[in-house]
Amino acid sequence: MFRYVIRRVLWAIVLMLAVTLITYVMFFAIPVDAARLVAGKSATPAEVKIVAHRLYLDRPIYAQYGHFLYNLVVNHSLGYSYNDRQSVNTTVFAAAPVTASLVFGGALLWMVIAIPVGVLSALRPRSALDRTAMVGVLTGISAHPVWLGYMASFLIGYKLGWLPIQGYCSFSGQNGGAFCGGPADWFTHMVLPWSVFAILYAAFYVRMIRGNVMETMNEDYVRTARAKGAPESLVMRRHVLRNAMLPVVTMLGMDIAIALGGSVLIEVVFGLPGLGAVAVQSVEQFDLPKVMGVVVFAAAIVVIFNLLVDILYAWIDPRIRLA
Amino acid sequence: MAEELLVIEDLEKHFPVMRGIVFKREIARVRAVDGVSLTVHKGETLGVVGESGCGKSTMARCILRLLNPTGGRIVFDGQDITHMRRGKLLPVRRELMMVFQDPYASLNPRKRVGSIVGEALQVHKIGTDAEIKSRVQDLLDVVGLNPEHYNRFPHEFSGGQRQRIGIARALAIKPKMIVCDEPVSALDVSVQAQILNLLKQLQREFDLTYMFIAHDLDVVRHVSDRVAVMYLGKVVELGTGSALYDHPRHPYTGALLSAIPVPDPDIARARVPMVLEGEVPSPINPPAGCRFHPRCPRFHADTCDASEPPLERKDGGSVAACYYPLETWPMADLRMPDGRVGSSSSPA
Amino acid sequence: MPLLDVRDLKTHFKTDDGIVRAVDGVSFTVEKGKTLAIVGESGSGKSVTCLTIMGLNARANTITSGEALFNDRDLLKLPSDELRKVRGQEISMIFQDPMTSLNPVHSIGKQLREAVQLHASVGKQPANRRAVEMLKAVGIPRAEQRLGDYPHQFSGGMRQRVMIAMALINNPDLLIADEPTTALDVTTQAQILKLMTQLQRDFGSAIVLITHDLGVVAETADDVLVMYAAQPVEQGGYQDIFYRPHHPYTWGLLNSLPRLVTEGTDLKPIPGTPPSLLRPPSGCRFHVRCGYTMDVCPKVEPTLEAVPGQAGHSVACHLEESVKQHEASNLLSQLKTGAKA
């Protein structure tokens, strides 16, 4: 197990390097003169040259990449944005809690829906509940989140006025006091995004949980437990669910990790200034440091989260823990 | 003396066990097949018997080059095929086919039966499509299936029928030799008998040579001319059916024979069978000296645990690898490793 | 008073294709401390019979009728929580495949303790002690240390021993073993059978052994029930079945054994395959594959009748007694001489 952990950590580092390198190289393929962008439209060639030098743009690529890595590891800095004139760290750390609210809240919601529906459908296959659930699943998977988002925003936000149409309010209400703040506002602004976000994932998970539970119920060891005289509730808890949910743990970890990396669609539809929105914005602006910063941060989250999930899974499955 | 169709010399197949964080090193080896020498003559059936972990299935796969041997030689029909490359191996594969154990897993569920049986013909480009179809239908008939079922899927057949399909598949390109890896273990008793009869009949009709691998000694004896007994990667005894079954020399053979339940209650209840203690040791770390010595009732200290006994001819015609082979069968008295004396009567 | 008295047990499953008559009228008794072997091939109904008695069939779409009297109670009519108390305590069951019959994510100690604590409110320590006791009784070395181990750390034979330990931990009156050695090597099978007979002596439990291997039956059974296509075809003591078999299916089973055939000749298998239980053949279900079919066989279902002169031996077949006896003695001489072949 220890060897397994060490190996995974080493791979995580390699992965991070690969991600940053590829992003860096890709960005260089774009024919944009960053120095000119930063210097401004009215800059003279001499001024552009000075800016280029200050931005390290006159060095070879590998030197720039090296500088970036140094900055990252030693100074814990993700870079300095061309456009915003502020450290990328600031931008990213402001956006991260938004995405985190969306993803963790959404994940909680989708699990709260998926587990009971999935388990009950598995226990009563082909019943009315099961069939309804499967129709729901099909709808959830088919409906595009963007469409769903706009429909929800329009119908419930605009037409019915029950919930805000879009926008984000920080939980702690310190948002420059601008429009809103505090837990209540935060909550009402998140309800629609959470729901839309959760629908798609809930659909997948209902299907997966149903499948896993049905399969596990047919396992020989479940029959053994019944043969020992265990009541059905114990059989379900200790034998069926414990085993059926194992693969769900891995999936959940992976899905959360990916979503944390940037749930662009929902953020854009609902105007939430999260990491996904920042990423889109920085690409439009050709703002390399911001792009790099978001990518690195997101990649780090994904990699760390996956690592944790792998370790957790290896720990709870004794077949792997004791290999 | 019939010609030697398949000769295996000191065949070895070791699987490395790798450990390490960044750079993996081999820390141990699973010695699945550890020095096996066998000969199969044209037209005969060589039975190979052994329990789980003895290496018989691994050996079969090495012979068919489904695995690559890590040592030794395999000579088929005069050609050394041990390390032959794929291209040169193709014509050899026409002559050497395999029938597998699990009739439920060895047929592709998405392919129709006709396509499964005719696959070898397609691969080796023997005949036009029409000729292939006609040949496949002949084969289905030969193995006792309805040629009209050409277009059905495997799941529409029973286990015994699926095994017949597997046999038809093996026969398609008229091989010289077929390796049968536990072909009847997964079948009901009455169906087993049908398949065994079929195999014997086909052998007569098509002049086939068989290597028949199984763990059921009765079944093996019924179809084989000679039988080899394997334990932990090595052959411990080899002889004709009657020699082995009536006068086993190696104590493990004795234990195997003794362990077969006898369908005659009077005899079954009268005898005191020799029941081996303990479990088969791991093939990663086989015991020193004779591999069977920790469980052997004929164990003698300082010989049996000191060096491996060679496979030598013993009285009665079989060859066995043992320093203290069984002298009589049924064994009159046995001294167990802990000093107890037991006795065993043969199923006779 | 037999320990278990099953009368006219029937189990039918409702499926989309129709009603599958998995068990269709089986009656037998099991005496205290004795072994009954139920013999048959796949689809004979031998497993479903025992699953029905234990109440382990899926409840939906299952119709059960008949009686299963155990210790003065009809198991088939017990409410489920009463039946639950019987399972694992008075009647235990072990299954065929030891590799999959234990939960891979719980230690065997936990699973053994569960068996104890389901039926008695004892703490962890006494349950552990009992578990260790049983592991020693079934021959697992270093039992205390192995309590915390997981199933994947045991070999097949060891796992089956653990299953047996789990089944006997509450000292049941009856142990049902469904093909307990089929998935094991022959030498391991010998070990497990020896263990089971010894434990039967030590604990005094009765055993119902389901198997398709007549050799195993010969070694262990006191009474034998031969089933075909969900029905009993022959029943009796072990000597009746082996030395005086009266049913063509039993003859067929005995004839299929390679041991009984002289070397060089072909085996005499039963032609064809077991029938569908959705639409079983009319009349005697075996008539399609029987070598002795008469006109009456496809028309009238034979009932189980006592064999004249042999108490406790009954058979369901239309053949005349003389024909049966003739075949029986043929087989007997083959058994005795063929055994030396």
Side-chain angles (χ1 to χ4, degrees):
Chain A
M1 171 91 179
F2 180 68
R3 256 186 294 271
Y4 176 81
V5 174
I6 300 284
R7 208 165 344 127
R8 290 291 286 107
V9 170
L10 287 177
W11 268 116
I13 296 176
V14 170
L15 206 53
M16 284 300 304
L17 279 174
V19 167
T20 54
L21 185 62
I22 292 174
T23 315
Y24 215 84
V25 167
M26 258 187 351
F27 214 81
F28 268 92
I30 305 173
V32 159
D33 191 349
R36 171 170 294 279
L37 276 178
V38 174
K41 291 216 171 83
S42 50
T44 66
E47 286 173 331
V48 173
K49 238 179 147 191
I50 299 174
V51 171
H53 184 79
R54 288 212 19 230
L55 292 177
Y56 290 85
L57 292 174
D58 48 358
R59 312 277 173 77
I61 296 183
Y62 55 81
Q64 294 191 39
Y65 180 62
H67 171 79
F68 169 76
L69 278 184
Y70 177 81
N71 220 7
L72 178 65
V73 175
V74 176
N75 298 338
H76 304 288
S77 160
L78 289 164
Y80 200 83
S81 161
Y82 295 155
N83 287 22
D84 302 342
R85 314 226 178 276
Q86 67 177 1
S87 156
V88 176
N89 283 25
T90 322
T91 320
V92 165
F93 291 151
V98 181
T99 307
S101 307
L102 174 65
V103 171
F104 285 111
L108 189 61
L109 181 61
W110 95 53
M111 286 309 277
V112 162
I113 298 175
I115 297 180
V117 176
V119 171
L120 284 174
S121 300
L123 288 179
R124 292 178 223 298
R126 281 140 22 117
S127 63
L129 166 72
D130 186 32
R131 291 190 204 273
T132 320
M134 287 301 105
V135 168
V137 164
L138 185 58
T139 319
I141 294 181
S142 317
H144 197 282
V146 169
W147 177 82
L148 262 179
Y150 280 126
M151 291 304 289
S153 177
F154 177 69
L155 289 171
I156 301 181
Y158 181 70
K159 280 280 187 181
L160 292 173
W162 287 347
L163 291 166
I165 299 171
Q166 59 162 245
Y168 178 78
C169 297
S170 93
F171 192 79
S172 49
Q174 286 163 9
N175 209 2
F179 290 102
C180 62
D185 276 342
W186 172 79
F187 188 80
T188 53
H189 278 81
M190 291 306 290
V191 171
L192 279 183
W194 278 339
S195 309
V196 174
F197 180 74
I199 284 178
L200 176 62
Y201 282 104
F204 276 118
Y205 276 75
V206 163
R207 200 163 63 167
M208 175 172 45
I209 291 176
R210 177 181 181 272
N212 279 357
V213 171
M214 281 175 83
E215 211 178 284
T216 313
M217 298 214 35
N218 284 329
E219 292 281 354
D220 286 346
Y221 54 81
V222 172
R223 182 179 55 176
T224 304
R226 293 207 182 103
K228 286 197 287 192
E232 206 54 28
S233 58
L234 188 78
V235 172
M236 278 310 290
R237 237 183 28 240
R238 204 184 270 174
H239 294 274
V240 176
L241 286 180
R242 175 89 172 69
N243 290 56
M245 295 302 281
L246 275 184
V248 175
V249 166
T250 340
M251 288 303 313
L252 190 61
M254 279 186 352
D255 280 334
I256 291 184
I258 294 176
L260 280 174
S263 7
V264 180
L265 299 174
I266 308 276
E267 286 175 9
V268 166
V269 167
F270 285 99
L272 305 170
L275 285 175
V278 170
V280 168
Q281 193 189 59
S282 46
V283 168
E284 284 172 352
Q285 294 167 342
F286 293 110
D287 193 340
L288 174 62
K290 215 153 80 169
V291 171
M292 284 302 295
V294 171
V295 167
V296 167
F297 185 74
I301 301 277
V302 172
V303 166
I304 292 174
F305 220 84
N306 268 318
L307 182 63
L308 288 175
V309 168
D310 279 347
I311 295 175
L312 176 69
Y313 190 89
W315 192 78
I316 58 182
D317 186 344
R319 288 168 288 191
I320 303 179
R321 177 162 37 114
L322 297 166
Chain B
M1 184 62 164
E3 93 184 61
E4 294 174 343
L5 190 54
L6 175 71
V7 179
I8 314 173
E9 282 170 28
D10 289 322
L11 183 66
E12 274 182 11
K13 179 61 185 166
H14 295 169
F15 296 97
V17 177
M18 310 289 256
R19 271 301 167 89
I21 298 175
V22 181
F23 298 106
K24 293 198 182 229
R25 321 165 280 125
E26 182 184 301
I27 55 163
R29 306 182 134 205
V30 176
R31 298 170 185 269
V33 180
D34 210 13
V36 169
S37 302
L38 287 173
T39 312
V40 187
H41 300 105
K42 193 163 184 336
E44 84 165 322
T45 301
L46 176 71
V48 179
V49 176
E51 297 183 301
S52 345
C54 71
K56 55 193 196 299
S57 282
T58 310
M59 178 181 73
R61 279 166 172 70
C62 284
I63 291 172
L64 276 118
R65 292 297 311 284
L66 295 170
L67 290 173
N68 292 324
T70 47
R73 277 197 344 145
I74 306 170
V75 178
F76 179 70
D77 208 11
Q79 288 181 297
D80 185 336
I81 63 168
T82 324
H83 299 292
M84 234 186 220
R85 302 220 161 254
R86 275 190 69 186
K88 294 193 69 183
L89 211 42
L90 199 58
V92 174
R93 292 228 156 106
R94 286 180 60 162
E95 311 288 359
L96 185 54
M97 293 292 282
M98 187 153 169
V99 172
F100 298 92
Q101 168 175 5
D102 188 346
Y104 296 91
S106 59
L107 301 179
N108 188 334
R110 294 193 196 290
K111 291 184 81 162
R112 293 178 198 275
V113 159
S115 165
I116 292 174
V117 174
E119 191 172 5
L121 293 165
Q122 301 270 10
V123 167
H124 292 273
K125 301 193 194 6
I126 303 175
T128 63
D129 281 346
E131 285 169 353
I132 290 181
K133 175 167 179 176
S134 146
R135 172 125 184 85
V136 167
Q137 287 179 317
D138 281 340
L139 285 165
L140 288 175
D141 186 43
V142 159
V143 299
L145 291 170
N146 187 343
E148 309 279 309
H149 295 166
Y150 183 90
N151 273 326
R152 290 204 183 169
F153 288 98
H155 70 263
E156 300 179 64
F157 294 87
S158 70
Q161 289 172 320
R162 279 189 234 203
Q163 202 60 302
R164 291 171 193 266
I165 296 170
I167 294 171
R169 173 174 62 181
L171 284 178
I173 44 177
K174 303 202 182 105
K176 289 191 175 149
M177 175 165 175
I178 301 185
V179 176
C180 305
D181 189 0
E182 307 244 28
V184 296
S185 311
L187 304 172
D188 274 327
V189 156
S190 60
V191 181
Q192 277 190 22
Q194 293 173 7
I195 299 295
L196 290 175
N197 279 355
L198 173 65
L199 286 171
K200 286 183 88 168
Q201 173 207 325
L202 292 170
Q203 183 176 38
R204 288 190 292 259
E205 243 179 80
F206 294 101
D207 195 25
L208 297 167
T209 305
Y210 286 143
M211 176 181 277
F212 194 98
I213 299 173
H215 63 266
D216 186 337
L217 285 140
D218 281 339
V219 165
V220 170
R221 180 189 186 167
H222 186 76
V223 294
S224 310
D225 299 306
R226 290 185 305 145
V227 179
V229 180
M230 285 185 69
Y231 184 79
L232 217 51
K234 296 186 93 78
V235 173
V236 295
E237 187 162 355
L238 169 64
T240 60
S242 48
L244 211 87
Y245 284 70
D246 295 335
H247 313 286
R249 293 291 162 220
H250 195 284
Y252 179 63
T253 315
L256 275 184
L257 289 173
S258 192
I260 311 172
V262 181
D264 183 338
D266 287 340
I267 299 180
R269 289 158 204 239
R271 68 180 184 142
V272 177
M274 176 176 125
V275 179
L276 289 179
E277 303 293 321
E279 304 259 308
V280 180
S282 159
I284 294 181
N285 224 344
C290 167
R291 293 169 185 225
F292 187 59
H293 85 253
R295 307 169 80 193
C296 186
R298 304 269 296 164
F299 170 72
H300 287 66
D302 298 326
T303 5
C304 298
D305 48 0
S307 60
E308 269 196 58
L311 205 54
E312 288 172 333
R313 189 157 297 277
K314 310 283 179 202
D315 302 330
S318 333
V319 295
C322 186
Y323 291 126
Y324 297 94
L326 300 172
E327 278 146 29
T328 55
W329 182 255
M331 295 182 267
D333 81 79
L334 305 164
R335 211 154 284 275
M336 304 285 178
D338 62 357
R340 287 176 294 139
V341 174
S343 82
S344 153
S345 48
S346 98
Chain C
M1 240 323 256
L3 179 67
L4 175 66
D5 189 356
V6 175
R7 297 181 187 171
D8 202 31
L9 180 68
K10 293 189 187 173
T11 309
H12 295 175
F13 297 117
K14 282 196 277 196
T15 67
D16 289 338
D17 300 316
I19 298 191
V20 174
R21 300 155 67 152
V23 180
D24 223 5
V26 172
S27 308
F28 60 87
T29 58
V30 184
E31 305 291 328
K32 284 194 190 32
K34 300 263 180 181
T35 303
L36 166 72
I38 305 185
V39 186
E41 303 177 285
S42 352
S44 57
K46 52 195 199 301
S47 289
V48 180
T49 303
C50 294
L51 289 171
T52 309
I53 295 171
M54 291 279 280
L56 287 173
N57 287 321
R59 254 169 292 139
N61 301 326
T62 307
I63 314 163
T64 309
S65 69
E67 296 177 306
L69 302 169
F70 179 79
N71 280 344
D72 301 324
R73 286 167 295 172
D74 183 1
L75 296 174
L76 302 177
K77 309 238 178 357
L78 277 184
S80 50
D81 37 292
E82 294 269 335
L83 189 55
R84 191 178 66 68
K85 292 198 204 132
V86 171
R87 285 204 295 259
Q89 171 141 56
E90 296 172 61
I91 310 182
S92 285
M93 191 157 174
I94 62 175
F95 302 94
Q96 174 171 349
D97 192 349
M99 305 304 254
T100 50
S101 296
L102 290 168
N103 193 327
V105 303
H106 293 311
S107 68
I108 60 145
K110 182 159 178 191
Q111 298 188 54
L112 283 165
R113 278 198 303 274
E114 184 181 55
V116 175
Q117 291 174 315
L118 279 170
H119 297 280
S121 42
V122 293
K124 189 168 166 186
Q125 294 304 340
N128 269 343
R129 275 197 294 275
R130 181 95 187 101
V132 170
E133 218 178 290
M134 283 311 297
L135 286 178
K136 288 190 176 146
V138 297
I140 305 250
R142 296 180 298 122
E144 289 98 343
Q145 286 99 312
R146 303 218 75 180
L147 268 191
D149 284 348
Y150 288 84
H152 71 272
Q153 295 171 289
F154 291 83
S155 71
M158 289 288 201
R159 276 188 237 198
Q160 199 62 305
R161 289 173 194 261
V162 171
M163 289 292 296
I164 294 174
M166 209 157 68
L168 293 177
I169 206 166
N170 291 320
N171 234 322
D173 296 319
L174 174 64
L175 170 67
I176 303 179
D178 190 351
E179 307 239 31
T181 55
T182 305
L184 303 172
D185 279 326
V186 96
T187 48
T188 317
Q189 171 172 298
Q191 290 175 334
I192 297 293
L193 286 177
K194 178 173 162 198
L195 175 68
M196 283 176 66
T197 10
Q198 175 206 319
L199 290 174
Q200 182 178 38
R201 275 196 307 267
D202 295 342
F203 287 83
S205 16
I207 298 181
V208 171
L209 181 65
I210 301 172
T211 180
H212 64 270
D213 186 340
L214 285 173
V216 170
V217 178
E219 301 223 331
T220 56
D222 296 305
D223 299 301
V224 183
L225 163 64
V226 181
M227 286 186 69
Y228 182 79
Q231 291 178 321
V233 293
E234 187 163 6
Q235 274 174 273
Y238 69 90
Q239 291 172 322
D240 295 328
I241 300 299
F242 282 96
Y243 300 141
R244 302 180 277 269
H246 268 51
H247 194 283
Y249 181 59
T250 318
W251 301 332
L253 284 180
L254 289 167
N255 267 326
S256 296
L257 298 172
R259 180 175 291 257
L260 265 51
V261 176
T262 44
E263 227 169 303
T265 60
D266 280 350
L267 298 167
K268 280 193 270 158
I270 311 173
T273 47
S276 147
L277 296 173
L278 262 175
R279 274 170 283 279
S282 56
C284 168
R285 294 184 183 184
F286 187 62
H287 82 260
V288 181
R289 304 169 74 188
C290 182
Y292 302 82
T293 322
M294 308 181 293
D295 284 337
V296 64
C297 299
K299 299 197 190 112
V300 180
E301 219 182 84
T303 48
L304 211 53
E305 283 162 3
V307 171
Q310 293 174 26
H313 186 188
S314 45
V315 68
C317 180
H318 292 304
L319 278 176
E320 276 179 28
E321 178 60 22
S322 51
V323 175
K324 293 171 180 170
Q325 284 192 354
H326 178 75
E327 280 305 321
S329 48
N330 268 353
L331 263 171
L332 181 57
S333 48
Q334 239 186 310
L335 180 69
K336 293 298 181 187
T337 55
K340 287 180 179 53

